[in-house]
Amino acid sequence: MENFGFSLKKSRTVNLVHADMQKFDQLIAAVPSYKRCIGCGGCTASCSARQFTDFDIRKVHCYFSRGQYDQLEQELQKCMLCGKCTLVCPRGVNLRSLIINMRQILSNTTEILG
Amino acid sequence: MENFHPFVLPFVLGTFALFAICIYKYVRWIRQFDRLQRAIILKNIFSVKLLPAIWEMFTECLLHLRISKKNWRLGYMHRSIAFGWFLLIVVGAVESRIGTPKNFHFWVAIFYRYFHQAPPESHTAFVFTQVMDLLLLYVLSGITLAFIKKIHSRILGMKRATKHTLMDRAVRTALWSIFPLRLLSESVSACLYHNGGFLTQTIGDLFSPNVAQFLEMPFWSLYSIALCVFFLLLPFTRYMHIFTEIFLIYFRKLGVKERVKMTGFTKFELSACSRCGMCIDGCPLYKDLGIMDVQSVYLLRNLRNLEHHKDIVEAGKNCLMCSRCSEDCPVDIDLMSIRRISRDKGDLDTDGNYQYLQKVKSFNSIGRVAYFGGCMTQLTPAISSAMEEIFNAVGQKYWFMDKEKSICCGRPLAQQGFNKQAAELRRKNTELIHSSGATALVTSCPICYNAFKNEYQLHIPVYHHTEYLDQLIKSGKLKVSKGDLKVTYHDPCELGRSCGIYKEPRNVLKAVATLLKTENEKEKSLCCGMNLGNTVITLEQQTILRNSALDNLTAPNPDVVVTACPMCKRAFQHGGTSVQVKDIAEVVAAATKKE
């Protein structure tokens, strides 16, 4: 095909009516403080993992809240759970709990005992 | 058969069942020890460590010195029942052995007053009879206190006692009825045969012989049945702690420790918990937030029975990991490790998550000190700049490991049950530190300090900056002037209770300021609430915890509230108090004499 130097991009439109919000609802139930998030990005700005890689926690929960769960599981594994995001959050979102719960919901696991 | 009566059968049955079940359980648990724990046991099994173990078994299983130190009333109560009963058995055995020349069976010792139907013949026998009565009185005094504690625990200095299960309460009733029944049985026999001591004879004389004749058999039978019920159910209830603590002390003295997964040693620890509930009163979640079902006593109980799976997970998560309960525990169970085991994340805990750290290289720091601020210090840069100032003031070359980019120490992951991930971070940090050639590691964060000190195996000494500053001031390298500042000091949980560092920060503060005492300090220090251990409580609840800790610190009217943890500092800074909040490094840096 002729290379024109430009191409058509895939549409990034998300149809929220048809999005699978079940996991998001589960997350809200587990971490109610997440409802307060205003998406300021303080968490990403302070993130330790972000200093080494392109891990972006704000992006992760943005995708999560739209029901786009692909790749999030691998992405969240980069988190070191150090808790800086939780401390800087101006809205008091319990981000460490949020991350653990996101991982649990995405991979369908719970704690094992004994 | 001489010296036998059918009423002893329940007791004999109970005793054999008790030993059979206990041996079965202990053998099973010992087989569940992991390889490292077994190696430690085999290495030390006949070492001199046995002697302190035996001493501790005596002081803890019988005398209960640790409980007595915390609360003498509870100490007396427990000692009178445990030690009193032990003496009753031992002295009773000796007395009956001497008094029964032939046809001696072990139950004769327990029911001696029934089988020996004659008044004391010699002085020795007379003394034995009186001593046995005295011991019975001693045990009964403990049972009375236990009963008072059940009705109103505050009288014995406990705000809140444990809420026991039905099974536990049933066995407690059996235990409590053993001794009054023994008293009554012996009194009745004393009435008939005049073989009682000062207590049983006095009570026995109140009965008329006819009534005594009628009551003798029922009383002795009930006594035997009470013993049987207690022994039969003991291995399945909290009273299993009686025997398990002996083994726990032995294994602990040999050097066995908790691992990241549940092992046989954990089973010993779980069963050694007597559910006394002393972990409840100190718990900040109970004291300030009124949460009453997540304390270690309940977690351990549910873990032991492995019932209420959902409750265990929820209770396991809701804990600040402030170690207050470990401090209060009279059995010294490793509660924090058990809490971590209950949080094990299983398949979620994956390997190879942090490959992006591979490109991080260390800095050639031969002859330098490595300084690890920690993630939280990045959010409180005043601490790290104060430390840099101090390093420069003493002319110490240093490598600020995480000035630009910080790798977490791994403890926050481990606290949440991500053991493999934490291990990966530990490997990376260890590699960085060792390859740098640094002579020592100084860290500003107690969380990191605890990890480096207790979880890493570093070849170089690890200091928290309070220790490091103390050394600098003592050796005279750092010259400080004492100002007229009045300060109070907050003991961070991870530094104080977890690592036992109380002295060093106080030495440092005394050198630069006037240190005021607070009500809850050292072991009793209150958690600032921002702890990384808990992922369940809300910000509002954390604020309540923070405020109560801050109230304690500002009560003596200090100019500055000093802490040694970036996390606590951040928590208190936003407390809306007019008092300044500073890290110990900042206070020292300000007091350093400039040349």
Side-chain angles (χ1 to χ4, degrees):
Chain A
M1 206 168 84
E2 204 70 35
N3 184 5
F4 294 105
F6 59 86
S7 64
L8 284 174
K9 271 193 174 166
K10 225 177 116 191
S11 165
R12 288 169 65 202
T13 317
V14 184
N15 190 341
L16 288 175
V17 178
H18 299 297
D20 170 24
M21 301 308 283
Q22 198 196 344
K23 288 180 176 169
F24 179 71
D25 294 340
Q26 257 176 295
L27 183 69
I28 290 284
V31 194
S33 63
Y34 178 41
K35 280 186 270 190
R36 294 187 214 153
C37 174
I38 50 171
C40 70
C43 40
T44 299
S46 67
C47 182
S48 286
R50 171 95 184 155
Q51 295 165 338
F52 300 100
T53 175
D54 57 355
F55 173 63
D56 187 339
I57 179 65
R58 177 172 171 262
K59 218 178 196 171
V60 170
H61 45 72
C62 185
Y63 278 125
F64 204 106
S65 62
R66 290 188 202 148
Q68 296 170 302
Y69 307 120
D70 306 341
Q71 304 293 318
L72 294 189
E73 207 179 328
Q74 288 78 5
E75 199 61 19
L76 279 167
Q77 287 178 354
K78 292 176 184 163
C79 168
M80 294 192 269
L81 225 55
C82 70
K84 269 149 83 178
C85 47
T86 314
L87 273 189
V88 297
C89 180
R91 303 288 294 162
V93 177
N94 194 344
L95 271 128
R96 292 179 79 231
S97 171
L98 189 76
I99 291 165
I100 298 173
N101 275 292
M102 278 202 274
R103 289 187 63 184
Q104 278 178 336
I105 291 168
L106 287 172
S107 66
N108 253 327
T109 55
T110 58
E111 281 88 343
I112 50 155
L113 296 164
Chain B
M1 193 156 85
E2 207 181 326
N3 284 342
F4 175 78
H5 191 282
F7 79 73
V8 305
L9 283 177
F11 163 74
V12 175
L13 174 82
T15 316
F16 281 118
L18 169 67
F19 281 107
I21 298 169
C22 282
I23 290 169
Y24 169 72
K25 283 197 167 198
Y26 290 147
V27 170
R28 226 181 72 192
W29 294 343
I30 289 173
R31 288 166 64 112
Q32 288 170 4
F33 275 45
D34 77 0
R35 210 188 289 160
L36 190 86
Q37 290 172 329
R38 271 187 217 176
I40 293 172
I41 294 176
L42 285 178
K43 202 177 115 200
N44 295 328
I45 196 156
F46 295 119
S47 70
V48 280
K49 288 177 181 168
L50 199 58
L51 294 174
I54 291 172
W55 175 246
E56 196 187 329
M57 285 171 198
F58 178 68
T59 56
E60 286 314 314
C61 301
L62 294 174
L63 298 184
H64 294 91
L65 294 188
R66 241 181 263 139
I67 299 189
S68 309
K69 252 182 241 161
K70 300 207 162 94
N71 180 336
W72 63 272
R73 285 164 289 189
L74 287 180
Y76 175 84
M77 182 192 102
H78 217 128
R79 189 182 319 118
S80 60
I81 299 175
F83 193 46
W85 197 4
F86 175 76
L87 285 180
L88 262 183
I89 294 169
V90 173
V91 177
V94 175
E95 181 198 22
S96 52
R97 197 79 193 93
I98 296 172
T100 321
K102 54 183 183 188
N103 279 329
F104 180 80
H105 312 286
F106 71 92
W107 59 77
V108 176
I110 308 297
F111 306 101
Y112 185 60
R113 294 281 176 273
Y114 176 81
F115 289 115
H116 189 83
Q117 300 179 344
E121 303 90 355
S122 63
H123 283 297
T124 330
F126 178 76
V127 170
F128 266 119
T129 317
Q130 303 299 344
V131 169
M132 286 298 279
D133 266 24
L134 191 67
L135 287 174
L136 185 60
L137 190 65
Y138 183 42
V139 178
L140 282 170
S141 71
I143 300 278
T144 317
L145 280 180
F147 192 69
I148 294 173
K149 181 179 149 241
K150 180 189 176 286
I151 294 169
H152 199 78
S153 60
R154 274 172 197 264
I155 298 178
L156 275 97
M158 274 180 100
K159 265 193 226 146
R160 192 169 181 88
T162 321
K163 199 169 179 290
H164 289 299
T165 55
L166 191 68
M167 183 85 149
D168 275 343
R169 276 180 276 165
V171 179
R172 181 176 62 191
T173 313
L175 173 67
W176 285 359
S177 55
I178 288 173
F179 300 96
L181 280 172
R182 179 176 176 137
L183 176 72
L184 287 172
S185 316
E186 290 191 346
S187 303
V188 168
S189 287
C191 170
L192 295 171
Y193 322 119
H194 303 283
N195 60 357
F198 69 93
L199 181 69
T200 43
Q201 194 63 55
T202 319
I203 297 176
D205 288 342
L206 299 175
F207 291 97
S208 79
N210 284 339
V211 177
Q213 192 81 49
F214 178 70
L215 287 176
E216 188 185 25
M217 210 28 64
F219 276 159
W220 281 108
S221 309
L222 276 176
Y223 173 48
S224 176
I225 289 168
L227 281 169
C228 172
V229 171
F230 181 67
F231 288 168
L232 271 182
L233 298 182
L234 181 148
F236 309 103
T237 58
R238 67 197 188 105
Y239 293 98
M240 188 64 174
H241 78 267
I242 298 172
F243 300 113
T244 314
E245 195 184 351
I246 303 172
F247 291 91
L248 178 66
I249 289 172
Y250 178 58
F251 290 134
R252 210 159 45 197
K253 278 277 179 234
L254 292 187
V256 183
K257 286 202 177 88
E258 283 290 355
R259 312 279 291 152
V260 291
K261 294 258 188 274
M262 193 181 274
T263 59
F265 185 66
T266 320
K267 301 268 169 75
F268 274 99
E269 293 221 289
L270 293 179
S271 288
C273 169
S274 63
R275 294 177 206 160
C276 62
M278 288 175 86
C279 49
I280 301 175
D281 277 354
C283 178
L285 293 183
Y286 164 65
K287 230 176 3 188
D288 296 322
L289 304 179
I291 300 172
M292 280 179 297
D293 48 2
V294 301
Q295 278 77 16
S296 300
V297 52
Y298 301 118
L299 179 77
L300 262 62
R301 181 176 72 196
N302 290 346
L303 267 180
R304 182 179 154 189
N305 304 334
L306 274 181
E307 57 191 23
H308 317 299
H309 186 281
K310 199 160 168 285
D311 288 357
I312 303 176
V313 172
E314 288 308 311
K317 277 194 228 167
N318 199 354
C319 167
L320 292 161
M321 308 284 267
C322 71
S323 315
R324 179 65 202 259
C325 50
S326 309
E327 197 60 50
D328 285 344
C329 180
V331 192
D332 234 356
I333 300 174
D334 190 354
L335 297 170
M336 291 300 111
S337 297
I338 294 176
R339 181 75 65 169
R340 274 189 183 187
I341 288 169
S342 81
R343 289 176 174 185
D344 192 280
K345 289 291 188 288
D347 293 338
L348 204 57
D349 183 15
T350 44
D351 257 332
N353 290 2
Y354 305 112
Q355 284 174 358
Y356 59 82
L357 294 176
Q358 269 171 1
K359 49 187 185 244
V360 183
K361 293 276 179 294
S362 67
F363 177 79
N364 184 355
S365 341
I366 297 168
R368 285 172 194 254
V369 164
Y371 174 62
F372 189 92
C375 301
M376 292 305 151
T377 311
Q378 288 204 324
L379 297 180
T380 49
I383 301 177
S384 49
S385 45
M387 278 311 289
E388 286 188 286
E389 232 176 90
I390 292 165
F391 281 129
N392 291 332
V394 296
Q396 172 68 55
K397 283 193 174 165
Y398 63 95
W399 167 42
F400 193 164
M401 278 177 72
D402 52 352
K403 185 167 188 166
E404 303 291 330
K405 298 176 173 185
S406 67
I407 303 177
C408 177
C409 63
R411 192 169 166 79
L413 278 167
Q415 298 276 52
Q416 298 305 329
F418 293 97
N419 295 307
K420 282 189 212 153
Q421 290 182 218
E424 200 181 331
L425 290 180
R426 281 202 292 269
R427 275 197 299 277
K428 180 68 199 173
N429 278 323
T430 309
E431 178 208 313
L432 280 180
I433 294 166
H434 282 166
S435 63
S436 74
T439 48
L441 179 73
V442 178
T443 170
S444 279
C445 174
I447 301 167
C448 308
Y449 174 69
N450 197 351
F452 284 126
K453 190 100 182 161
N454 300 323
E455 289 167 9
Y456 284 61
Q457 269 112 29
L458 292 180
H459 303 323
I460 55 172
V462 180
Y463 303 110
H464 183 251
H465 70 288
T466 52
E467 286 179 287
Y468 186 68
L469 292 174
D470 185 37
Q471 284 178 12
L472 288 181
I473 294 173
K474 263 193 191 147
S475 65
K477 277 188 194 158
L478 185 69
K479 307 226 172 359
V480 287
S481 53
K482 185 165 176 159
D484 47 5
L485 211 59
K486 280 184 292 177
V487 300
T488 49
Y489 175 67
H490 170 72
D491 284 291
C493 313
E494 296 267 0
L495 191 64
R497 280 187 290 265
S498 299
C499 297
I501 295 197
Y502 300 112
K503 216 173 57 212
E504 288 85 352
R506 288 186 166 72
N507 289 345
V508 172
L509 283 177
K510 278 176 191 161
V512 295
T514 315
L515 182 62
L516 305 175
K517 267 196 184 315
T518 57
E519 198 191 325
N520 296 299
E521 56 177 16
K522 296 189 177 172
E523 290 86 356
K524 287 186 180 162
S525 164
L526 303 170
C527 175
C528 72
M530 296 290 157
N531 197 306
L532 285 178
N534 200 320
T535 53
V536 177
I537 56 170
T538 60
L539 186 74
E540 291 69 26
Q541 287 173 314
Q542 284 183 318
T543 313
I544 298 173
L545 293 175
R546 196 258 329 268
N547 289 348
S548 97
L550 199 55
D551 286 347
N552 171 56
L553 290 167
T554 48
N557 272 326
D559 303 320
V560 183
V561 167
V562 181
T563 175
C565 171
M567 191 84 109
C568 304
K569 188 191 165 193
R570 227 187 130 77
F572 294 145
Q573 261 179 341
H574 298 280
T577 166
S578 54
V579 183
Q580 266 191 311
V581 181
K582 278 188 179 171
D583 188 88
I584 194 161
E586 295 171 66
V587 179
V588 173
T592 306
K593 282 182 191 159
K594 307 278 185 304
E595 280 157 22

